[in-house]
Amino acid sequence: MKKVFCIGELLIDFVAENQGKNLSIAKEFTKKAGGAPANVACAISKLEGKSIFVGCVGDDPFGNFLLNILEENNVDTSMAQKSEVFTTLAFVSIDDDGERDFVFSRGADKELKYDSSLKKDFKNNMVHFGAATAMLGGNLEEAYNRYFFDALTQDSFISFDPNYREDLWKHKEDAFIKKCMPFIQKSHLGKFSLEEAQLLSGKKDMDEACSFLHETGVVIIVVTLGKEGTLLSTKQFRKTIPSIEVSPVDTTGAGDAFIGCMLKQIAEHDSLETLLESETELSQIVSKANKAGAITTTNFGAIESLPTRNQLDY
């Protein structure tokens, strides 16, 4: 089984549960571990895959808490770093339908320094680029781009999730699109929300959007559509894979559970070419990933809500 390196932020989510979507009226918050790449790493390890987290936290109690959570979930944290800058925080409010509002207080995640020793470990393994904050500057953006180059030169399977956050990119959407394009050009797997697919392609129609993204370079496209399932697209076929019906209480981490489940299943394959030739097998991979994402919405907090292998009937 291939290893999956997940690069980006690990942070504290202070979650206001059942207090509406408006953060300004929330009064009580619960401390949770968060950060999209860290969630993906945990999703993989909880399904008995092999994940390595590459990111930075503060050398403080919150940073220690976060690394302990990853280790408890069998994620390899040997490449994680600590900084004198305080651990990154996110304040999250959740309404009755599980929808969220975010405010970031950015800290140590941006301090990740590039480590050239990782390059050799990427060889014939998988690298997932899914950080919401990695395009925002700091050492993290430089490290992110250098690891991307390393992944290209080491024949890694490359996965990209833009993790667009409107509040972080308001009035700077063009810059976001420009920074994402190199990853879309070279990724084997691109995971997008409907909003992201439309923004990055400039197309409202999903057939047109997928065609544009394939022409740009990405090989396998998955567009998550919530309860409607997932649009799966390759150059050979395009179809919507249904999800399972659940009653969501918190959608945090659903997309991370989805892509983590996909990556774990792909890690078990020897050949991308062989996988691409099988519409049936690729559809089954997405169907199982849909289930992982749906299960994650049925509880509060991303990491503790991620399904285990037994829950997905392996």
Side-chain angles (χ1 to χ4, degrees):
M1 184 187 296
K2 296 181 182 68
K3 297 177 181 177
V4 186
F5 292 83
C6 301
I7 302 174
E9 78 269 10
L10 172 60
L11 50 82
I12 297 288
D13 279 331
F14 281 109
V15 182
E17 301 171 5
N18 295 325
Q19 296 174 62
K21 193 177 175 182
N22 186 345
L23 267 173
S24 66
I25 63 173
K27 295 181 179 179
E28 298 176 358
F29 295 84
T30 304
K31 180 179 71 174
K32 304 278 187 181
N39 292 342
V40 173
C42 287
I44 293 164
S45 63
K46 288 184 78 167
L47 296 173
E48 301 178 22
K50 298 177 181 178
S51 62
I52 300 92
F53 174 73
V54 184
C56 186
V57 296
D59 188 8
D60 53 53
F62 286 150
N64 294 335
F65 164 79
L66 291 168
L67 292 179
N68 287 339
I69 290 289
L70 294 196
E71 289 161 7
E72 288 170 5
N73 283 278
N74 298 314
V75 174
D76 183 339
T77 62
S78 60
M79 300 309 301
Q81 300 173 13
K82 284 189 172 183
S83 167
E84 293 181 1
V85 176
F86 200 73
T87 296
T88 298
L89 309 177
F91 295 85
V92 187
S93 61
I94 304 168
D95 66 16
D96 293 338
D97 296 322
E99 292 303 313
R100 303 161 294 167
D101 185 21
F102 282 96
V103 172
F104 280 96
S105 178
R106 197 175 186 205
D109 79 277
K110 70 177 181 288
E111 302 300 322
L112 179 70
K113 294 178 174 62
Y114 171 73
D115 184 343
S116 61
S117 69
L118 260 180
K119 180 177 179 178
K120 66 182 186 304
D121 296 325
F122 287 176
K123 185 72 176 177
N124 297 324
N125 281 310
M126 304 172 70
V127 187
H128 176 65
F129 296 91
T133 63
M135 311 288 188
L136 293 171
N139 291 330
L140 172 60
E141 183 167 7
E142 179 187 352
Y144 203 72
N145 289 322
R146 294 182 72 178
Y147 284 134
F148 179 53
F149 181 78
D150 287 347
L152 290 172
T153 61
Q154 295 301 303
D155 296 320
S156 306
F157 181 98
I158 297 174
S159 167
F160 178 59
D161 180 350
N163 284 124
Y164 176 70
R165 300 286 184 266
E166 184 179 1
D167 287 347
L168 298 180
W169 291 99
K170 197 169 290 184
H171 310 305
K172 297 181 291 183
E173 292 85 357
D174 288 345
F176 177 79
I177 293 168
K178 183 177 179 179
K179 291 184 177 190
C180 286
M181 279 304 150
F183 293 88
I184 295 172
Q185 289 169 359
K186 298 296 184 180
S187 290
H188 300 96
L189 173 63
K191 180 261 175 192
F192 308 96
S193 67
L194 179 64
E195 178 187 22
E196 289 164 348
Q198 292 173 334
L199 174 67
L200 292 166
S201 68
K203 315 288 185 183
K204 291 294 183 183
D205 178 79
M206 275 301 99
D207 280 335
E208 293 180 5
C210 287
S211 294
F212 175 89
L213 294 169
H214 282 308
E215 288 167 9
T216 303
V218 64
V219 180
I220 303 170
I221 294 170
V222 284
V223 182
T224 52
L225 305 171
K227 65 181 180 180
E228 303 302 323
T230 297
L231 176 62
L232 166 63
S233 179
T234 71
K235 291 182 179 179
Q236 289 73 39
F237 69 92
R238 192 169 296 160
K239 62 196 293 189
T240 298
I241 311 295
S243 189
I244 61 171
E245 191 170 325
V246 295
S247 298
V249 297
D250 179 7
T251 59
T252 307
D256 303 326
F258 172 89
I259 194 65
C261 185
M262 274 202 77
L263 291 171
K264 193 272 177 183
Q265 294 176 84
I266 294 171
E268 297 171 316
H269 281 266
D270 294 327
S271 167
L272 174 63
E273 289 73 21
T274 302
L275 182 59
L276 281 170
E277 289 172 0
S278 175
E279 178 180 340
T280 299
E281 191 161 11
L282 201 49
S283 298
Q284 288 171 343
I285 285 173
V286 172
S287 180
K288 190 163 288 185
N290 279 345
K291 185 175 181 181
I295 289 172
T296 303
T297 70
T298 61
N299 199 2
F300 286 106
I303 291 175
E304 57 264 53
S305 304
L306 296 167
T308 62
R309 182 167 178 156
N310 288 339
Q311 286 177 283
L312 294 185
D313 301 320
Y314 267 86

